[in-house]
């Protein structure tokens, strides 16, 4: 019998819940040993996957996120020698205790399986060092605790993706184990439709384009993501962009994510030569276009005060509903600071 091993030859393991991804799932690949005896797949996987329970595995099988030889199977399927098993599971909950907090949530949509939240800029998604309270997960823990869908008193706010603290916009939250698994598979398959709007410095030469370049931690500063076009570092990342409107020195750009790496749009747009407006981490909080003097300097500094964070908004999400199998599309309006910044630049450019 063969255990899960790092994917070096053809055995296993590609885990995608690291800090370089905004998509929270695990992905595994197992090639069954030639000497493996017949054994139910749920029993087989329980012994080999971290954090696995029979319920979690059976939910994944039902959601068709566990495949054998690229085909859906039942829980009663018995693994055979040389079978190839591919598995996509939602990111396991961390050991950190989450304290429920009564924090208002802007809920765009909710049913028994999931809910959509329009996250304000400034709110951290998940508790971590330096931000143990006041996060979206703290708020969800409080909100979900009052719903009949919480099981056995256990609260698992079902994050399958995240957005940066100072990015505003839509997040889908799974309320059941099945929904978490089903949505995680769509993120892994890149079938989730995600549209962001960004205000960037300058005017891209091409009105439409695709930025392809691995995104990973900077070798000089671990807080920053760098683009590695030759793939020597980081992970594969693709952003499709379109210039919607220009305002002389800045542009409103629509970005569609094909992959979901951490800081992907921010890193990709800087690599293109157009950092996000007011993005201190990637140099966008300085005057990068026009002469930094006189009334123009005062104008830009005032614009920075209006939107003192990266000008990025997760505007829409589209996905297949876990139960109804209907494709759902949701959108959100630009937040007030984004609207005011756009209006200020529009007046300046006229």
């Amino acid at each position: 019998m063969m255990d899960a091993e790092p994917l070096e030859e053809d055995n296993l393991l590609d885990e995608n819940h690291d800090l370089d991804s905004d998509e929270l799932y695990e992905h595994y690949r197992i090639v069954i040993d030639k000497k493996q005896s017949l054994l139910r797949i749920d029993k087989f996987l329980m012994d080999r996957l971290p954090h696995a329970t029979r319920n979690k595995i059976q939910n994944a099988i039902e959601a068709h996120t566990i495949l054998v030889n690229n085909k859906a199977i039942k829980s009663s399927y018995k693994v055979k020698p040389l079978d190839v098993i591919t598995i996509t599971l939602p990111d396991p909950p961390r050991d950190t205790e989450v304290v429920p907090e009564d924090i208002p949530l802007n809920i765009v949509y909710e049913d028994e399986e999931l809910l959509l939240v329009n996250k304000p800029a400034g709110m951290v998604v998940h508790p971590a060092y330096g931000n143990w309270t006041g996060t979206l997960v703290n708020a969800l823990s409080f909100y979900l605790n009052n719903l009949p869908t919480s099981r056995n008193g256990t609260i698992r706010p079902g994050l399958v993706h995240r957005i940066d603290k100072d990015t505003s916009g839509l997040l889908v939250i799974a309320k059941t184990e099945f929904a978490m698994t089903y949505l995680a598979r769509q993120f892994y398959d890149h079938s989730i439709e995600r549209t962001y709007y960004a205000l960037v410095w300058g005017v891209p030469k091409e009105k439409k384009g695709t930025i392809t370049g691995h995104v990973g931690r900077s070798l000089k500063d671990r807080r920053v993501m760098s683009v590695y076009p030759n793939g020597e570092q980081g992970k594969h990342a693709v952003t499709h962009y379109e210039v919607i409107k220009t305002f002389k020195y800045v542009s409103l750009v629509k970005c569609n994510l094909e992959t979901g790496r951490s800081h992907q749009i921010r890193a990709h747009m800087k690599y293109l030569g157009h950092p996000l407006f007011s993005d201190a981490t990637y140099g966008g909080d300085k005057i990068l276009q026009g002469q930094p003097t006189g009334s123009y300097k005062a104008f830009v500094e005032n614009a920075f005060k209006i939107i003192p964070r990266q000008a990025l908004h997760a505007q829409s999400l589209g996905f297949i509903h876990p139960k109804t199998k209907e494709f759902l599309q949701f959108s959100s309006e630009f937040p007030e600071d984004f609207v005011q910044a756009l209006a200020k630049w529009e007046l300046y450019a006229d």
Side-chain angles (χ1 to χ4, degrees):
M1 294 185 292
M2 181 169 291
D3 289 335
E5 297 177 1
L7 182 59
E8 292 178 352
E9 296 177 351
D10 204 24
N11 298 331
L12 192 88
L13 170 67
D14 176 23
E15 291 197 52
N16 292 281
H17 57 271
D18 58 88
L19 293 177
D20 291 354
S21 178
D22 286 332
E23 299 165 347
L24 305 176
Y25 56 76
E26 304 170 293
H27 182 66
Y28 303 97
R29 184 177 186 274
I30 302 174
V31 178
I32 304 301
D33 191 89
K34 293 179 181 179
K35 298 180 181 180
Q36 170 68 44
S37 58
L38 295 179
L39 182 66
R40 277 178 61 113
I41 190 167
D42 50 0
K43 292 182 179 179
F44 176 85
L45 292 177
M46 278 183 64
D47 293 334
R48 285 159 183 78
L49 297 180
H51 315 289
T53 63
R54 178 166 292 184
N55 183 60
K56 185 173 185 176
I57 291 169
Q58 289 177 344
N59 270 309
I61 290 173
E62 183 183 350
H64 295 171
T65 65
I66 294 179
L67 305 177
V68 178
N69 305 323
N70 292 320
K71 295 180 180 179
I73 44 86
K74 295 181 179 180
S75 298
S76 58
Y77 177 85
K78 294 183 177 180
V79 297
K80 300 186 293 293
L82 300 182
D83 273 348
V84 178
I85 306 173
T86 53
I87 306 141
T88 305
L89 296 173
D91 196 38
R94 300 294 188 255
D95 294 334
T96 306
E97 181 182 357
V98 176
V99 178
E101 294 181 75
D102 187 5
I103 302 170
L105 289 170
N106 182 359
I107 297 175
V108 176
Y109 171 85
E110 182 177 7
D111 61 27
E112 293 181 354
E113 295 294 323
L114 54 86
L115 60 86
L116 264 88
V117 173
N118 191 13
K119 185 190 82 69
M123 175 181 269
V124 175
V125 171
H126 199 283
Y129 182 76
N131 292 286
W132 296 115
T133 61
T135 74
L136 178 63
V137 167
N138 294 110
L140 288 169
S141 294
F142 180 90
Y143 181 73
L144 294 175
N145 193 38
N146 296 319
L147 293 175
T149 49
S150 61
R151 301 182 304 283
N152 301 321
T154 300
I155 305 303
R156 293 193 55 190
L159 294 180
V160 286
H161 69 131
R162 58 192 170 195
I163 57 179
D164 296 335
K165 172 187 175 182
D166 289 326
T167 298
S168 55
L170 294 177
L171 280 163
V172 59
I173 313 296
K175 290 166 61 176
T176 67
E177 187 86 39
F178 178 80
M180 283 183 71
T181 305
Y182 196 88
L183 290 168
R185 182 71 202 192
Q186 291 182 68
F187 277 100
Y188 177 73
D189 289 340
H190 307 313
S191 59
I192 297 278
E193 293 186 5
R194 285 173 287 178
T195 300
Y196 288 70
Y197 280 82
L199 185 64
V200 306
W201 278 107
V203 180
K205 292 181 180 178
E206 303 293 334
K207 294 297 182 183
K208 288 185 179 182
T210 297
I211 309 168
T212 302
H214 279 46
V215 171
R217 296 286 172 184
S218 168
L219 299 179
K220 297 179 180 179
D221 185 348
R222 297 287 294 172
R223 298 169 298 175
V224 177
M225 307 301 284
S226 293
V227 177
Y228 300 92
N230 296 323
E232 68 273 19
Q233 301 283 341
K235 292 189 175 183
H236 176 65
V238 179
T239 304
H240 306 284
Y241 74 89
E242 178 183 357
V243 178
I244 301 302
K245 198 167 185 178
T246 62
F247 307 101
K248 194 171 182 179
Y249 294 126
V250 297
S251 301
L252 178 64
V253 176
K254 179 171 72 172
C255 297
N256 291 100
L257 292 184
E258 189 171 310
T259 56
R261 306 305 174 199
S262 184
H263 295 194
Q264 179 174 315
I265 292 172
R266 300 165 70 187
H268 267 174
M269 292 309 298
K270 180 177 181 180
Y271 173 72
L272 194 65
H274 302 282
L276 270 60
F277 184 78
S278 201
D279 189 348
T281 302
Y282 291 89
D285 62 338
K286 300 176 180 62
I287 298 176
L288 301 180
Q289 296 285 324
Q291 293 297 318
T293 58
S295 61
Y296 175 68
K297 179 182 179 182
F299 164 81
V300 176
E301 289 177 346
N302 187 256
F304 285 150
K305 292 178 182 178
I306 289 174
I307 185 165
R309 49 106 178 181
Q310 67 263 14
L312 184 63
H313 178 66
Q315 191 266 343
S316 72
L317 266 178
F319 54 87
I320 298 174
H321 191 278
K323 283 295 186 183
T324 67
K325 304 302 186 286
E326 176 187 1
F327 182 80
L328 302 178
Q329 185 86 39
F330 298 92
S331 61
S332 62
E333 295 181 352
F334 292 162
E336 187 61 27
D337 62 349
F338 204 106
V339 171
Q340 289 185 16
L342 287 177
K344 189 172 181 66
W345 274 105
E346 191 163 24
L347 282 172
Y348 180 85
D350 284 347

